[in-house]
Amino acid sequence: MKVYQIPVGPMQNFAYLLVDEESREALAIDSGWETEPIVKLASSEKLRVKYVCATHGHYDHVKTMGKLAAELGAVTVAFEGSEVNPKVKVRDADTLRLGQNDVIVMHTPGHTEDSVCYYDGSHLFTGDTLFVDAWGRTDLPGGSSAKLYSSLHDVILVLPEETVIYPGHDYGEVPFRTLGEESRKNPAFLAKTVDDFKRLTQD
Ligand SMILES: [Fe+2]
């Protein structure tokens, strides 16, 4: 599937369109601050956007989610416990269909309790769970460094190393990177125990 990475707003957020090129079915991830660049791209590429998905409920990721879904004729999607209150509530291991492809929801709490990643078998959209060179804050309401450590090591790091990580913010030296390279560079992956990780997060 094809990925469009779209910078949005003043906080270095990334929104995404994930596209099944055969059917032109697509989903949007984290509309964030503005709908216009996403709607324009969907229109110029003749996409049928079925879902507008949240990686978690923080406002810089979901601010325009309802508006974007209305403009695209899509439905909103978020984790079942999220205060976002979407049209479609998903759980861990649920799937979203694009053409002949399944996009898998992976519950990855730690930055927030409602954090999820979306995985199509090649690309992993990590929201604020994992950034290039960094990881999500654990000191905000619902945050937990122990849960984030487990999400990073037990849920994400077991995926194939050629998986490409697409984060929720442009905080790294490059905008996206393979999991294999990330595993060798990111201090959160280099931490080999939860206590090592807690020393990094200073929680
Ligand atoms: Fe966040």
Side-chain angles (χ1 to χ4, degrees):
M1 282 199 279
K2 184 165 182 175
V3 177
Y4 294 92
Q5 187 178 48
I6 309 157
V8 285
M11 290 173 66
Q12 298 166 277
N13 285 82
F14 281 134
Y16 294 95
L17 283 168
L18 176 64
V19 179
D20 170 51
E21 294 183 273
E22 206 175 301
S23 66
R24 308 308 288 166
E25 289 185 350
L27 58 77
I29 296 171
D30 284 357
S31 61
W33 299 83
E34 45 190 334
T35 61
E36 201 187 331
I38 305 166
V39 172
K40 268 190 177 166
L41 188 54
S43 168
S44 66
E45 295 299 311
K46 299 185 171 51
L47 307 179
R48 191 154 64 82
V49 181
K50 293 172 71 179
Y51 306 106
V52 173
C53 305
T55 58
H56 64 297
H58 284 163
Y59 74 101
D60 56 320
H61 298 259
V62 299
K63 203 171 153 63
T64 62
M65 191 179 185
K67 181 171 183 268
L68 182 66
E71 289 174 1
L72 293 171
V75 294
T76 53
V77 177
F79 189 63
E80 59 175 353
S82 178
E83 63 195 38
V84 170
N85 199 23
K87 182 88 174 171
V88 177
K89 298 180 181 186
V90 288
R91 298 177 181 190
D92 185 54
D94 280 356
T95 56
L96 301 166
R97 194 87 174 150
L98 292 183
Q100 300 299 311
N101 308 284
D102 281 329
V103 179
I104 304 168
V105 178
M106 299 168 66
H107 186 214
T108 52
H111 172 62
T112 61
E113 189 55 37
D114 71 347
S115 287
V116 295
C117 296
Y118 297 93
Y119 178 55
D120 70 353
S122 305
H123 313 103
L124 183 71
F125 300 89
T126 54
D128 287 1
T129 296
L130 173 65
F131 305 121
V132 170
D133 299 321
W135 59 94
R137 288 175 63 173
T138 53
D139 60 336
L140 300 171
S144 158
S145 49
K147 285 186 181 178
L148 186 58
Y149 180 84
S150 174
S151 292
L152 291 170
H153 286 256
D154 304 334
V155 180
I156 292 177
L157 202 51
V158 297
L159 297 174
E161 65 168 29
E162 61 272 22
T163 304
V164 183
I165 303 299
Y166 288 95
H169 289 268
D170 187 12
Y171 289 163
E173 63 173 359
V174 290
F176 54 87
R177 192 148 71 191
T178 64
L179 180 58
E181 194 174 348
E182 205 57 46
S183 72
R184 292 185 288 276
K185 290 185 169 174
N186 193 315
F189 286 134
L190 297 174
K192 291 304 172 203
T193 67
V194 68
D195 287 336
D196 287 349
F197 185 58
K198 282 183 175 177
R199 276 191 282 277
L200 282 178
T201 60
Q202 299 181 331
D203 291 357

